């Protein structure tokens, strides 16, 4: 039985946009159906990593927007009391 060499984890994407671009490329490759099974599994795993990265980034940005919005509402309320 051949040994499988461990695959080094891929580097995180440089940005959200880079992650989306890579995801789109992975999806195109998966839809093509021309990859061997092992490559398909690797592509799927990378896609899952990228998706997790994108979701985490979106959550961070959503939280920042909420905080900014709450701050703006607080400033508006304080200005209205003057």
């Amino acid at each position: 039985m051949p040994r499988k060499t461990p695959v080094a984890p891929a580097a995180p994407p440089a940005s959200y946009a880079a992650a989306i671009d890579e995801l789109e490329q992975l999806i195109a490759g998966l839809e093509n159906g021309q990859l061997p099974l092992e490559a398909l599994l690797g592509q799927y795993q990378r896609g899952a990593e990228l998706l997790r990265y994108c979701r985490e980034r979106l959550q961070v940005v959503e939280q920042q927007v909420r905080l900014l919005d709450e701050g703006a509402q607080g400033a508006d309320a304080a200005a209205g009391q003057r």
Side-chain angles (χ1 to χ4, degrees):
M1 183 176 204
R3 280 191 188 190
K4 291 189 178 184
T5 56
V7 176
S15 66
Y16 180 83
I20 294 295
D21 288 342
E22 188 177 344
L23 265 172
E24 288 174 349
Q25 292 172 1
L26 286 173
I27 290 168
L30 290 170
E31 288 176 341
N32 185 353
Q34 300 298 315
L35 295 173
L37 184 59
E38 292 80 16
L40 284 171
L41 180 58
Q43 298 286 336
Y44 182 85
Q45 289 172 332
R46 178 61 176 163
E49 292 170 4
L50 291 167
L51 186 57
R52 188 175 322 110
Y53 171 86
C54 288
R55 285 180 175 159
E56 289 171 359
R57 289 298 305 143
L58 283 173
Q59 287 176 344
V60 167
V61 170
E62 286 174 351
Q63 182 63 30
Q64 290 173 340
V65 168
R66 275 191 218 105
L67 290 172
L68 290 170
D69 192 38
E70 289 170 4
Q73 289 176 2
D76 289 346
Q81 292 177 358
R82 291 182 196 187

